[in-house]
């Protein structure tokens, strides 16, 4: 029997969050890792970009305290999350006078923090609060598990959630977490997110974490340094066009480097193309699942104002009303996250396909008008400049009973990693989030080394 602890050579294709997580996990285990990234900037669909001489993100993100693997790897990379992330208690706060609500959890033990937040919430009537209590109690009784999937809309109707609660709480949370409208979104996956945040035994799991550093600096850049410090290599501007399985079970990338195992951590579209090039019938089912995904877009509109412009809170929820040209769902004050970005606001639109069809200029103008109206600050209608960034394939549509491939490709030594993969237990599946990508990368790294150990026995 061969020693499975022998140092092996592994390739990771793609340096998004899944690829970075996989590379770090392999490096931590003592293996030689080479990461190939086609772009020059690390982070994949959660990365920094430069616009108007300003470092921005390709999309404004909120993480959760439940993102345990992401936080673990940030620490493993030698970074202090408290310096990189603004931690806020669970909240859903709308601007005063916008017909919203003000819900914020105190720093009490779980689940008392939610009960107190609900008791003190403004903008919700008695019927709304009772509906929320009824839903939370039912989910706890069910163990936060839904074995027969349905849409989020159907789930909310089943538990008699009020129209106002749906509009101000459940629908925004569904869009933010799954990037899929409630009438099409998977209730099972939505409940998984609620279980790990609202239903967790630790209050901190429900905290909302807003990155202060740009997304590439948050982990991907540090992950690259970690890999290099452990004897690995990260090659940017290196697009892999083909994989070749060798008779001895190893893998060759393009026409050069040979590795004991490969983790494909690109988008599902790119991964499907690479796998098709192998012409291996064992991959047919995986490829079919990949090609069945429907993309969902996310748009972030940055609006720069005078540096004196500051919101009363780091972020607000917004009531989106497309019929009124109110497209924004959340607005973030970037100046409260980074002193170098004073006066910069970021407005997020999830599932933004219809909004993006308006075009950059009209959409940015509509968002500025929306901010001016709901924040009751007319000057916000005239930003100094705007930048709209739309990730057309930000996520997949997270629909009920969606067939997702796992980390195993079906071919030994070839693993998949990405936010689109499924866990071994479907009751643990996450939507396409940073945490889902990181978990997948870690799982793929552990699986590929297990594959290698099996080949050596």
């Amino acid at each position: 029997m061969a020693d499975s602890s022998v140092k092996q050579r592994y390739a990771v294709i793609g340096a998004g969050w899944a690829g970075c997580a996989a590379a770090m996990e392999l490096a931590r285990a003592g293996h030689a890792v080479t990461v190939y990234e086609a772009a020059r900037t690390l982070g994949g669909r959660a990365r920094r970009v430069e616009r108007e001489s300003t470092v921005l993100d390709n999309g404004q993100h909120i993480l959760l305290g439940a993102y345990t693997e992401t936080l673990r790897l940030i620490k493993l990379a030698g970074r202090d999350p408290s310096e990189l992330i603004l931690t806020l208690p669970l909240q859903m706060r709308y601007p005063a006078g916008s017909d919203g609500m003000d819900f914020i959890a105190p720093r009490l033990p779980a689940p008392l923090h939610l009960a107190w937040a609900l008791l003190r919430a403004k903008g919700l009537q008695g019927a709304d609060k009772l509906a929320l209590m009824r839903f939370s109690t039912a989910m706890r009784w069910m163990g936060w598990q839904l074995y027969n999937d349905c849409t989020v809309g159907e789930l909310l109707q089943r538990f008699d959630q009020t129209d106002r609660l749906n509009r101000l709480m459940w629908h925004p949370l569904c869009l933010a977490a799954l990037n899929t409208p409630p009438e099409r979104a998977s209730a099972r996956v939505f409940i998984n997110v609620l279980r790990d945040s609202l239903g967790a035994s630790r209050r901190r799991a429900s905290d909302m974490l807003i990155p202060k550093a740009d997304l590439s600096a948050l982990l991907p850049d540090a992950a690259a340094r970690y890999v290099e410090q452990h004897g690995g290599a990260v090659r940017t501007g290196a697009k892999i066009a083909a994989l070749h399985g060798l008779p001895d079970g190893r893998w060759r990338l393009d026409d050069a480097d040979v590795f004991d195992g490969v983790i494909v951590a690109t988008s599902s579209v790119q991964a499907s193309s690479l796998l098709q090039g192998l012409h291996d019938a064992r991959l047919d089912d995986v490829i079919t699942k990949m090609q069945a995904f429907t993309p969902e877009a996310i748009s972030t509109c940055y609006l720069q104002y005078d540096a004196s412009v500051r919101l009363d809170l780091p972020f607000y929820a917004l009531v989106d009303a497309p019929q009124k040209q109110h497209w924004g769902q959340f607005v973030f004050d970037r100046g409260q996250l980074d002193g170098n970005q004073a006066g910069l606001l970021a407005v997020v639109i999830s599932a933004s396909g219809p909004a993006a069809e308006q075009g950059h200029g009209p959409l940015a103008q509509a968002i500025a008008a929306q901010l001016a109206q709901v924040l009751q600050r007319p000057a916000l209608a005239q930003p100094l400049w705007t930048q709209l960034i739309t990730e057309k394939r930000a996520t997949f549509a997270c629909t009920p009973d969606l067939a997702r491939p796992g980390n195993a490709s079906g071919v030994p030594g070839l693993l998949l990693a990405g936010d689109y993969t499924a866990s071994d237990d479907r009751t643990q599946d996450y939507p396409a989030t940073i945490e889902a990508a990181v978990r997948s990368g870690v799982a793929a790294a552990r699986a590929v080394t297990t594959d290698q150990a099996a080949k050596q026995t």
Side-chain angles (χ1 to χ4, degrees), residues 173-251:
L173 287 180
C174 178
L175 282 170
L178 276 65
N179 195 39
T180 307
E183 61 270 19
R184 295 193 285 111
S186 165
R188 179 191 290 128
V189 176
F190 185 54
I191 289 175
N192 290 347
V193 177
L194 295 181
R195 175 199 62 216
D196 290 352
S197 51
L198 301 184
S201 59
R202 297 184 310 113
R203 176 198 55 76
R204 291 184 179 180
S206 67
D207 283 346
M208 306 180 91
L209 314 181
I210 307 178
K212 295 189 288 187
D214 69 73
L215 290 173
S216 293
L218 189 58
L219 178 66
D221 291 347
R225 291 191 294 270
Y226 182 90
V227 168
E228 291 167 346
Q229 289 166 1
H230 286 74
V234 178
R235 303 179 183 176
T236 59
K239 180 178 176 60
I240 300 301
L243 295 174
H244 306 278
L246 302 180
D248 61 2
R250 294 187 300 166
W251 294 87

Side-chain angles (χ1 to χ4, degrees), residues 88-413:
L88 299 172
L90 174 70
Q91 55 192 270
M92 188 66 76
R93 311 186 73 180
Y94 290 80
S98 65
D99 193 32
M101 69 184 221
D102 193 25
F103 178 100
I104 179 169
R107 297 193 180 280
L108 295 174
L112 291 178
H113 68 311
L114 295 179
W116 186 255
L118 182 59
L119 180 65
R120 298 294 299 272
K122 300 177 182 178
L124 294 180
Q125 303 301 317
D128 305 318
K129 295 182 180 183
L130 285 174
L132 181 52
M133 290 177 61
R134 182 168 58 249
F135 183 86
S136 178
T137 300
M139 289 301 108
R140 291 180 186 279
W141 181 79
M142 293 166 56
W144 297 94
Q145 292 187 2
L146 189 68
Y147 294 101
N148 296 314
D149 207 357
C150 62
T151 68
V152 170
E154 290 168 339
L155 179 76
L156 298 175
Q157 185 176 23
R158 183 183 307 171
F159 288 96
D160 298 320
Q161 299 301 281
T162 65
D163 290 342
R164 184 168 182 79
L165 190 59
N166 286 339
R167 180 167 59 90
L168 299 180
M169 173 73 85
W170 297 129
H171 288 192
L173 287 180
C174 178
L175 282 170
L178 276 65
N179 195 39
T180 307
E183 61 270 19
R184 295 193 285 111
S186 165
R188 179 191 290 128
V189 176
F190 185 54
I191 289 175
N192 290 347
V193 177
L194 295 181
R195 175 199 62 216
D196 290 352
S197 51
L198 301 184
S201 59
R202 297 184 310 113
R203 176 198 55 76
R204 291 184 179 180
S206 67
D207 283 346
M208 306 180 91
L209 314 181
I210 307 178
K212 295 189 288 187
D214 69 73
L215 290 173
S216 293
L218 189 58
L219 178 66
D221 291 347
R225 291 191 294 270
Y226 182 90
V227 168
E228 291 167 346
Q229 289 166 1
H230 286 74
V234 178
R235 303 179 183 176
T236 59
K239 180 178 176 60
I240 300 301
L243 295 174
H244 306 278
L246 302 180
D248 61 2
R250 294 187 300 166
W251 294 87
R252 187 173 76 246
L253 274 59
D254 289 340
D255 295 317
D257 298 328
V258 175
F259 296 91
D260 296 295
V262 175
I263 295 176
V264 177
T266 64
S267 70
S268 60
V269 173
Q270 295 166 319
S272 172
S273 177
L274 276 174
L275 267 54
Q276 281 181 298
L278 288 169
H279 304 291
D280 190 322
R282 291 174 292 180
L283 297 169
D284 289 349
D285 181 61
V286 169
I287 293 171
T288 297
K289 289 176 179 177
M290 288 178 172
Q291 293 177 338
F293 288 132
T294 301
E296 290 279 3
I298 297 178
S299 296
T300 301
C301 185
Y302 292 95
L303 305 97
Q304 180 68 61
Y305 298 95
D306 183 83
S308 63
V309 171
R310 180 183 175 91
L311 302 184
D312 293 335
L313 298 175
F315 82 99
Y316 282 105
L318 303 172
V319 177
D320 62 329
Q323 69 277 10
K324 297 169 54 179
Q325 294 293 298
H326 284 194
W327 300 99
Q329 297 154 358
F330 291 92
V331 57
F332 296 79
D333 185 347
R334 294 294 309 176
Q336 296 190 44
L337 304 171
D338 181 351
N340 294 321
Q341 296 187 347
L344 181 64
L345 304 183
V347 176
V348 177
I349 310 170
S350 296
S352 65
E357 291 176 359
Q358 310 302 307
H360 179 169
L363 180 56
Q365 185 178 8
I367 289 173
Q370 178 185 3
L371 294 179
Q373 179 180 337
V374 300
L375 294 169
Q376 302 178 42
R377 299 170 69 169
L380 296 183
Q382 300 295 329
L384 301 176
W385 56 259
T386 64
Q387 178 66 54
L388 180 71
I389 301 176
T390 296
E391 281 286 330
K392 294 183 179 180
R393 292 182 173 272
T395 71
F396 56 87
C398 192
T399 53
D401 288 319
L402 180 66
R404 296 160 62 174
N407 292 114
S409 70
V411 178

